[in-house]
Amino acid sequence: MFTLSDAPTRDELKSYSLDRLRAYYALRVSNNDTLLADYIPPTVDGVRRRTLGIYGEEIAAMSIEDYQGILQGFLVGLVGARRILEIGTLTGTSAIYFANALKRSGIKGGVDETGHKPIISLDISEEFAEIARQNFVEAGVDDYIEVIVGDANKTLASLSDLTFDLCFVDADKISYPNYYETIVANNMLNKKGLFIFDNTAFVKVIKYTDTPVPVTADSKPLDLPGGERLISEDYAIALHEFNEYIRKDTRVEVVMLPLYTGISLVRFVN
Ligand SMILES: C[S@@+](CC[C@H](N)C(=O)[O-])C[C@H]1O[C@@H](n2cnc3c(N)ncnc32)[C@H](O)[C@@H]1O
């Protein structure tokens, strides 16, 4: 584990290449090394390696990356989240980041008066869910996360009595409008809560070393320059329609972060 004290001096910086300096900052996206140590636990690496070993690159690449995990953990603290809903568990990477963030905020694990753990994560695959549960045990966060298996279009509706402070939506893109409307219509997200929708820009909007791709008002959904296409065109069209839908929804305010394949933050305006 690095410490912030290994920062180069001003003199040493003169012999640094920009790439070396970027590499330095890539590991220091927060000023709090305790937070980084908490947020990038070795177990997340283990989850990635195991997912890669079992399913290969295409599936493993669906897990969020470290920086997104750190950012989402920061947002957990920002909104004071106590209860989190995740749609799309896969093998558990994002849920582990959320659990560590809750721990940092002093939230206790275990089943509460609602009969649930602080994080409910939904996935359609029993196989992924089982691997995720093993990963949660190994990461020491199994008392923070419960996985409910089934099509989230159905399981979500069965949770409509519950209220969450943060909803992270990262499952099948076609269903984003239904997930959004079900959560809003049933008041499942607190008025001060936060939605995070992943992959809303369809393609890698930014590469680490590039400047952000400007998205203009007349951009077509499928012709954003500057990145490999990670998802099918069906998904891109569904996401485009979803983006337009929430952009015009006067109940909410939306900011799409140009990170990875786009991360939309959505909050209620009043
Ligand atoms: C992008 S992955 C989630 C990655 C995870 N959030 C992470 O960072 O590790 C999408 C997941 O959504 C699940 N999924 C797809 N369609 C679904 C549906 N209709 N209901 C519930 N889960 C679904 C898939 O099985 C897959 O595990």
Side-chain angles (χ1 to χ4, degrees):
M1 180 53 58
F2 71 87
T3 63
L4 292 178
S5 61
D6 62 357
T9 63
R10 184 179 277 197
D11 270 351
E12 284 166 344
L13 266 187
K14 290 176 188 156
S15 63
Y16 264 50
S17 67
L18 272 181
D19 278 347
R20 190 165 172 205
L21 193 57
R22 276 195 199 104
Y24 174 83
Y25 278 106
L27 290 172
R28 291 162 184 80
V29 293
S30 167
N31 69 341
N32 182 339
D33 58 350
T34 310
L35 181 141
L36 291 176
D38 274 0
Y39 278 30
I40 312 183
T43 46
V44 168
D45 257 1
V47 170
R48 289 217 181 85
R49 266 186 272 108
R50 198 166 308 136
T51 309
L52 190 65
I54 303 172
Y55 296 109
E57 181 56 40
E58 199 173 329
I59 298 286
M62 297 202 306
S63 309
I64 62 163
E65 295 188 37
D66 287 334
Y67 176 68
Q68 185 169 349
I70 292 166
L71 172 70
Q72 293 187 172
F74 182 91
L75 294 171
V76 167
L78 191 68
V79 299
R82 307 180 69 82
R83 301 191 48 77
I84 297 173
L85 173 68
E86 171 176 85
I87 309 182
T89 320
L90 192 64
T91 48
T93 301
S94 47
I96 291 173
Y97 278 108
F98 282 135
N100 278 300
L102 289 181
K103 265 191 188 177
R104 268 180 44 77
S105 300
I107 308 297
K108 298 272 175 279
V111 172
D112 66 14
E113 65 286 354
T114 67
H116 294 281
K117 295 179 184 176
I119 302 172
I120 298 180
S121 185
L122 311 180
D123 205 286
I124 201 165
S125 160
E126 179 59 57
E127 187 177 326
F128 287 153
E130 203 34 54
I131 295 172
R133 289 185 190 114
Q134 289 164 24
N135 289 333
F136 299 152
V137 172
E138 193 185 312
V141 293
D142 55 314
D143 53 346
Y144 281 80
I145 312 160
E146 66 185 66
V147 185
I148 299 178
V149 176
D151 181 347
N153 289 290
K154 298 194 178 106
T155 51
L156 186 58
S158 73
L159 300 172
S160 61
D161 288 347
L162 299 175
T163 312
F164 300 89
D165 308 300
L166 192 153
C167 297
F168 176 49
V169 182
D170 189 21
D172 56 314
K173 313 308 161 193
I174 307 284
S175 301
Y176 275 27
N178 185 48
Y179 297 149
Y180 175 71
E181 270 309 334
T182 304
I183 290 167
V184 173
N186 291 295
N187 297 315
M188 294 172 73
L189 180 66
N190 275 330
K191 287 295 169 223
K192 298 276 179 207
L194 179 69
F195 273 115
I196 306 175
F197 290 94
D198 203 9
N199 312 117
T200 48
F202 349 112
V203 290
K204 275 195 176 162
V205 180
I206 184 169
K207 293 178 191 160
Y208 274 115
T209 54
D210 289 351
T211 50
V213 176
V215 182
T216 62
D218 57 354
S219 293
K220 299 277 188 307
L222 297 180
D223 61 18
L224 282 175
E228 70 195 276
R229 185 163 297 160
L230 291 183
I231 46 183
S232 74
E233 296 199 356
D234 280 356
Y235 273 30
I237 290 164
L239 286 168
H240 174 62
E241 287 173 358
F242 173 70
N243 289 337
E244 290 301 291
Y245 183 73
I246 51 173
R247 205 162 59 79
K248 290 174 186 154
D249 186 341
T250 54
R251 296 171 296 182
V252 295
E253 187 171 80
V254 185
V255 175
M256 187 195 284
L257 303 179
L259 292 168
Y260 302 112
T261 51
I263 303 167
S264 288
L265 305 182
V266 181
R267 71 179 185 102
F268 294 113
V269 284
N270 48 25

